[in-house]
Amino acid sequence: MPIVKADEEAIRDAAEHLRAGRLVAFPTETVYGLGADATNGQAVAAIFAAKGRPRFNPLIVHVLDVGHAGQHARLTTLARRLIDAFWPGPLTLVLDKRPDSSLSDLVTGGLATLAVRAPDHPVARALLAELGRPLAAPSANRSGRISPTQAAHVAADLGDKVAMILDGGPTAHGLESTIIDARGEVPVQLRPGAIAVETIELVLGDRVVRGDLEPELPNAPGQLASHYAPEAQVRLEARDVRQGEALLAFGPRVPPTDGPVINLSPAGDLTEAAANLFAALRALDASGAPAIAVMPIPDRGLGEAINDRLRRAAAPRGGPTADHFDI
Ligand code: TXA
Ligand code: MG
């Protein structure tokens, strides 16, 4: 199993693999990423093959800073304000791609726009600095599965597909970055994530519009694409525990049960709950329980992103749109 503690030597080796077109999984402050040299089309194609993604949806490009972002994307006034406030950090911006960018077209799925962020994790940053090129990196899980917040999660999903897994310990936020379309004057949130929309509104002194990541997808409840899917069935808004169910709890008042229980945050802290979410889903799945009951989680702050991921985990499997959507 290619898990290596992310020291200086390991980071040099990882950059060497990336330069040779191989895949390296690395920690960010949100989740582990499956990285490839974003200027190498063959390497980017290997990401889609490894994840088993059924189509080439666009990937996030990771850069060191605003200077590197500006080589590939047109930075609007809004983008600069957001970058000043939140980079490096878990905020991804969708911007117009520059025609002279050296990125492979496969990274953007042929779109004229680019999703870019500067991660705030010492290992991710050291790797970007050593490589000297942008890194395309989706979450390092097989398509449709739970995102990895620990190196061992990556090994379980993709261990035989990567040259190396850089181990930087458990990730701090535990949820993917917030995605904002910053092409115009009005910010549009395309994916709720590790930075709550309220925090962004506070900094901008302006409303953030809620948009859809993939507006062409039907969003009627029965057709919601299943994603972050554990093996177990997931039942949301549970106020009791039924026969055979494991319990994903939140807060101090937990219904009685003899089955497995993980409390995302006994204190009811949404930041702590976000950091624990994906590892908790994996652990309850591993308990073998056929179903997981999930207690209600407030929809404010990071609760918006947590509930978004839980709804995807609970969505019906195998429908026409299932697995066509990797957020
Ligand atoms: O926290 C994160 O963002 C993690 C870590 C590894 O950085 N990465 C991540 O990447 O979540 P991924 O590929 O799993 O999710 C990328 C999302 C996809 O839903 C994709 O559709 C969207 O970003 N996306 C990428 N480029 C886009 C674009 N040009 N316009 C709109 N959405 C885009
Ligand atoms: Mg993902």
Side-chain angles (χ1 to χ4, degrees):
M1 200 171 295
I3 296 183
V4 183
K5 184 173 170 294
D7 58 17
E8 271 179 42
E9 190 190 339
I11 287 169
R12 272 198 303 275
D13 289 348
E16 208 43 59
H17 283 305
L18 289 165
R19 269 190 285 273
R22 290 187 280 267
L23 303 181
V24 170
F26 63 97
T28 81
E29 75 279 30
T30 58
V31 300
Y32 275 72
L34 177 63
D37 174 354
T39 64
N40 178 339
Q42 295 228 10
V44 175
I47 291 181
F48 294 104
K51 282 186 65 97
R53 271 193 182 177
R55 64 171 194 197
F56 295 147
N57 47 350
L59 304 174
I60 294 176
V61 172
H62 298 68
V63 296
L64 209 44
D65 56 28
V66 61
H68 289 95
Q71 292 174 13
H72 304 287
R74 273 194 223 289
L75 301 178
T76 58
T77 306
L78 172 62
R80 288 187 189 278
R81 289 180 68 200
L82 289 166
I83 287 170
D84 278 349
F86 294 108
W87 278 17
L91 180 71
T92 296
L93 299 177
V94 169
L95 296 165
D96 287 321
K97 183 179 163 182
R98 286 175 58 130
D100 56 345
S101 159
S102 56
L103 295 174
S104 147
D105 280 333
L106 201 49
V107 173
T108 54
L111 296 175
T113 56
L114 168 68
V116 63
R117 83 176 187 101
D120 184 21
H121 189 291
V123 173
R125 298 188 65 72
L127 185 60
L128 283 165
E130 180 72 31
L131 180 63
R133 297 177 199 170
L135 267 176
S139 50
N141 51 280
R142 290 189 61 77
S143 185
R145 305 304 306 274
I146 301 166
S147 296
T149 57
Q150 298 173 21
H153 298 165
V154 182
D157 259 20
L158 296 171
D160 56 341
K161 304 279 199 302
V162 292
M164 204 171 168
I165 301 169
L166 287 172
D167 188 353
T171 63
H173 292 284
L175 279 181
E176 294 86 348
S177 59
T178 304
I179 304 183
I180 299 279
D181 182 341
R183 284 176 295 163
E185 285 173 20
V186 179
V188 180
Q189 176 177 260
L190 300 180
R191 174 175 78 178
I195 300 178
V197 77
E198 291 91 332
T199 307
I200 298 171
E201 289 180 335
L202 211 61
V203 163
L204 293 178
D206 207 354
R207 300 272 316 158
V208 173
V209 174
R210 308 299 215 279
D212 267 337
L213 194 57
E214 308 226 350
E216 77 273 18
L217 281 180
N219 55 10
Q223 295 170 294
L224 186 64
S226 112
H227 187 57
Y228 297 97
E231 300 291 333
Q233 292 297 310
V234 175
R235 183 168 69 89
L236 302 179
E237 304 286 331
R239 287 161 210 281
D240 56 5
V241 185
R242 297 177 189 160
Q243 188 65 36
E245 281 183 335
L247 177 64
L248 187 63
F250 176 80
R253 299 220 314 269
V254 178
T257 172
D258 295 331
V261 180
I262 295 180
N263 197 327
L264 291 174
S265 172
D269 179 307
L270 289 166
T271 306
E272 183 184 23
N276 291 331
L277 178 65
F278 292 147
L281 281 173
R282 280 182 187 259
L284 290 180
D285 219 13
S287 78
I292 301 171
V294 182
M295 286 177 67
I297 293 171
D299 214 34
R300 65 187 148 74
L302 289 187
E304 183 186 351
I306 294 171
N307 284 324
D308 171 80
R309 306 306 189 268
L310 285 170
R311 276 193 297 274
R312 292 174 200 284
R317 314 286 159 73
T321 63
D323 285 337
H324 277 233
F325 188 36
D326 199 345
I327 84 161

